[in-house]
Amino acid sequence: MKDTIIGLGKAVCLLGDVLKYIVRGRVRWDEVFKQVYEQGVGSLIIVTLASAASGAVLAMQGQVMMGRFGAKEFIAQLVALSLVREMSPVFTALVFSGKAGAGMAAELATMSVNNQLQATRVMGVDPVEFFVVPRMLACFLVLPVLVVVSELVGILGGYFIAVTQAGIPSSYYYYQTVHAIGYSDFFCGFIKIFVFALLIGWVCCYKGISTTGGSLGVGRFTTAAVALCYVLVIVSNTFVTKMVLTFWGNG
Amino acid sequence: MIRISGLVKMFNGVSVIEGMDLTIPTGEILAVMGPSGTGKTVLLQHLAGLLTPDAGTIEIDGQDIGALNDTELLLFRHRIGYLFQEGALFDFMTVEENVAFPLKEHTRLNPTEIQTKVNEFLELVDMAGQGDKYPSELSGGMKKRVALARAMVGDAKVLLCDEPTSGLDPMRSRDISELIRRLSKKLGCTTVLTTHDVINALRTADRAVVLNEGRIVADGDEALLRSSVNVFVKEFLRV
Ligand SMILES: Nc1ncnc2c1ncn2[C@@H]1O[C@H](COP(=O)(O)OP(=O)(O)O)[C@@H](O)[C@H]1O
Ligand SMILES: [Mg+2]
């Protein structure tokens, strides 16, 4: 318990340091772009596959459920709204935690147990500035893009099933989708991703740089980081959804 | 000059260093010897400002490093070169990029000047022409030599080496010991190295201290240590 509170305090200090460097403009953009590339490329394929599959599954289930009420032509709305408001942001964040988040945590953890972070410090460079700030910023740049990709691919997946299996005319599906998604729907979902970006970057970097205990420690801290990300993403999603619904209503 | 007075460090209520006083004149090479777990690494980390003492002060060239804040500490460390036990090279950078790192961070040298200086130091540690390799492609001894170049390339005035010979065969151990002595004298560093390797410690250093359970039990040159009547020192030097 005591350790948890101390850990929380240290994590808050880390976030404070990160903000300090960003506010002072001490950001290494070349490192940020390296990280964007690494995180983005690593997660893109999995996000694409997962999104296409979820879009397709939504359409399959939609065909059955909507069919029961004789409202098959609303499959497009079901797919588009579920993806944009809920599924894409959450799925993308989970995939991102497992891929890019785990990658960041493991990398920093290895550097921590090999004294590379200490070495950075003795060479007069703060590892927070050199390693953590670029990684956390990259999360904010990569995740929104991944979410948009996920939404587009997911809608395509749904489209494929609706057109080939449910016999919905292609142009009709397109028309329904475009008219289903309002700005508020898009932003309801999109706003969440910034909360997730903060949580994932913060947790994975903090766990990474505080790793001790050799290669065993690297495994332990990395798994802990990813597990914590999953929990935080899912739980915070509930709160953010409630908040968003309160502000934007459901119209 | 490094002046340590009354240094105390505890971890979880157990004291690792118990009131240490030690003065190291500028340009001297001091070996801190003792069995594993006696606080040698902890002592070096204090000298680099990586740990803060529970009591006592550390002065380097008249600067009390306990009085520095985080930003001042980062600046102060430009004067320090630290050779970690396993080298601690950045494994995502090549040898050359590793050695260039302190120069890129803290000097206004242009890329050609940096390249020249990097080559010069790689030559000094006998690693010329290997700049494009990654640390994972190097042997333990080579990693240490590159790490030594990285530690000294930024005109370090104080060189701290943690177990420079550990994990190396006897020949490589002798080579790195002689290299540290040669570079340290050439660049005029005040050097502190820790080791439990008596032969190589005496080969490298001008003076040695023996630590036991956080205290200095012997201090002097080889002849003085050999004539010590302390039971622990006799035992330690015999193995
Ligand atoms: N950061 C730390 N936290 C807790 N205990 C430590 C820490 N660093 C060192 N110690 C303890 O201090 C003692 C001395 O360690 P060290 O200086 O590494 O010994 P050595 O002489 O082998 O270099 C050991 O018992 C070690 O467990
Ligand atoms: Mg040690």
Side-chain angles (χ1 to χ4, degrees), chain A residues 3 5 10 21 26 38 44 64 84 104 122 134 139 176 181 189 194 203-204 217 220 223 233:
Chain A
D3 289 348
I5 293 171
K10 283 186 181 160
Y21 282 120
R26 297 267 302 274
E38 218 153 88
L44 192 60
V64 176
V84 170
M104 276 190 288
V122 269
C139 290
Q176 291 283 66
I181 308 173
F194 293 100
V203 166
C204 293
R220 198 171 316 131
T223 343
V233 164

Side-chain angles (χ1 to χ4, degrees), chain A residues 190-220:
Chain A
F190 204 64
I191 220 163
K192 295 176 178 178
I193 206 66
F194 293 100
V195 177
F196 299 155
L198 173 68
L199 289 172
I200 296 169
W202 187 16
V203 166
C204 293
C205 288
Y206 173 69
K207 285 281 180 192
I209 62 170
S210 33
T211 298
T212 51
S215 48
L216 266 182
V218 174
R220 198 171 316 131

Side-chain angles (χ1 to χ4, degrees), chain B residues 195-213:
Chain B
T195 188
H196 51 245
D197 173 352
V198 179
I199 299 170
N200 282 303
L202 298 177
R203 198 194 313 263
T204 322
D206 301 316
R207 172 184 154 208
V209 296
V210 180
L211 280 194
N212 185 27
E213 294 179 349

Side-chain angles (χ1 to χ4, degrees), chain B residues 40-41 85 162-163 194:
Chain B
K40 301 186 297 292
T41 300
Q85 201 164 340
D162 197 4
E163 309 261 0
T194 71

